[in-house]
Amino acid sequence: MGELTATSTHLSEYDVSTGEASGVMSVQGGCLVGNDLYSFMVDTTFTSYKMIKTDMTTGDSAVVATNLSLGHANDATYNPHEDVIVVADGNDGSKLYKITLDGNYSVTTVDISNTSTGIWAIAYDATNKQYIGAGHGTIHYYDSNFNLLRTVEYSLSQGYKGQGALTDGVYFYLLESTTTNDNNNLLVFDLVTGEKIATVELGITRESENIVYKDGKFFVTCNNTGWTGMEVYEVTVSTAF
């Protein structure tokens, strides 16, 4: 794979500051379900949550659930075979949460403490029916029942922190953001070997949180500058994956 470049365009914004103290809510994990982007907004104490559904065509957003307990809600992925969203806690890397999309949004805790050193990003590989989780220096591969299959070591770029993950069944993608949030990269790994094969600078000067892929483009959700909501960027990479 040759050198890759990205072009990022601001697409939409959702601000939850109306009726709330400024800076209370920030965006964390998110995933794509059909044409809808589901995002998790949390308060500074990580005790109040809002699950936001955004129409990817219009950019319109609405709150669909508030009665959730998801730790840091650091990342999320959609499993179409079970019609559930799986959320990586992030605060406690030994826990995941499965949320039903039947309108009740019930939450089930998944204990992965006996198979993991902790993960903060999660992606579901619908092709191979497996989950891939990124932890501190290790990528974990699980079957659809969260039995650990194998692990692969990796490293983030120096001065960066890990954010959301994504897979298309061929590659594993991982966002990383500088600790000062002035730059973001997309790391690309070979899904089978776990080898890092590309680092793509995104040119986004916000804290990236989660990433989805739709119609040949990536969409990266970030916190806005006031920490009162989210901004979505459309990202086109110069070489198709």
Side-chain angles (χ1 to χ4, degrees):
M1 179 181 292
E3 184 177 354
L4 304 176
T5 59
T7 302
S8 300
T9 305
H10 187 274
L11 188 66
S12 64
E13 184 166 355
Y14 179 74
D15 195 317
V16 298
S17 61
T18 302
E20 300 184 46
S22 177
V24 167
M25 305 295 285
S26 63
V27 67
Q28 297 296 328
C31 62
L32 188 68
V33 180
N35 191 55
D36 296 319
L37 173 65
Y38 283 79
S39 305
F40 295 92
M41 308 293 299
V42 300
D43 70 359
T44 54
T45 62
F46 294 94
T47 57
S48 176
Y49 300 81
K50 291 185 178 182
M51 184 162 70
I52 311 295
K53 183 169 73 172
T54 302
D55 186 303
M56 293 293 286
T57 301
T58 65
D60 294 337
S61 297
V63 177
V64 294
T66 57
N67 57 335
L68 306 172
S69 180
L70 306 169
H72 197 286
N74 200 66
D75 194 26
T77 189
Y78 175 61
N79 180 342
H81 298 115
E82 297 183 30
D83 195 30
V84 295
I85 290 175
V86 177
V87 179
D89 185 310
N91 276 338
D92 184 347
S94 66
K95 294 178 183 177
L96 302 171
Y97 305 96
K98 295 173 71 173
I99 304 174
T100 64
L101 293 179
D102 56 3
N104 295 319
Y105 304 113
S106 59
V107 179
T108 302
T109 301
V110 179
D111 184 354
I112 56 171
S113 60
N114 63 333
T115 61
S116 173
T117 56
I119 65 171
W120 40 259
I122 187 75
Y124 181 68
D125 174 6
T127 301
N128 300 298
K129 295 183 178 180
Q130 63 180 352
Y131 291 95
I132 300 96
H136 298 288
T138 310
I139 297 173
H140 304 266
Y141 294 75
Y142 302 90
D143 66 16
S144 59
N145 294 314
F146 300 102
N147 297 304
L148 185 65
L149 302 174
R150 61 192 177 97
T151 60
V152 176
E153 293 184 357
Y154 81 102
S155 60
L156 297 171
S157 302
Q158 186 173 1
Y160 282 75
K161 56 190 176 182
Q163 302 291 5
L166 175 70
T167 185
D168 56 8
V170 178
Y171 297 103
F172 178 63
Y173 308 96
L174 186 64
L175 287 172
E176 62 174 13
S177 180
T178 60
T179 54
T180 55
N181 305 320
D182 59 354
N183 192 42
N184 296 271
N185 293 329
L186 179 63
L187 305 182
V188 185
F189 299 83
D190 182 284
L191 185 62
V192 175
T193 65
E195 178 187 3
K196 187 191 300 181
I197 56 178
T199 300
V200 186
E201 187 172 335
L202 298 180
I204 298 173
T205 57
R206 303 285 190 274
E207 183 188 36
S208 64
E209 291 292 348
N210 62 75
I211 183 170
V212 301
Y213 188 78
K214 184 178 185 295
D215 298 334
K217 297 178 181 179
F218 294 100
F219 296 87
V220 176
T221 298
C222 306
N223 274 295
N224 63 15
T225 56
W227 301 95
T228 59
M230 67 183 190
E231 298 184 25
V232 179
Y233 289 81
E234 178 183 287
V235 178
T236 302
V237 177
S238 60
T239 301
F241 294 104

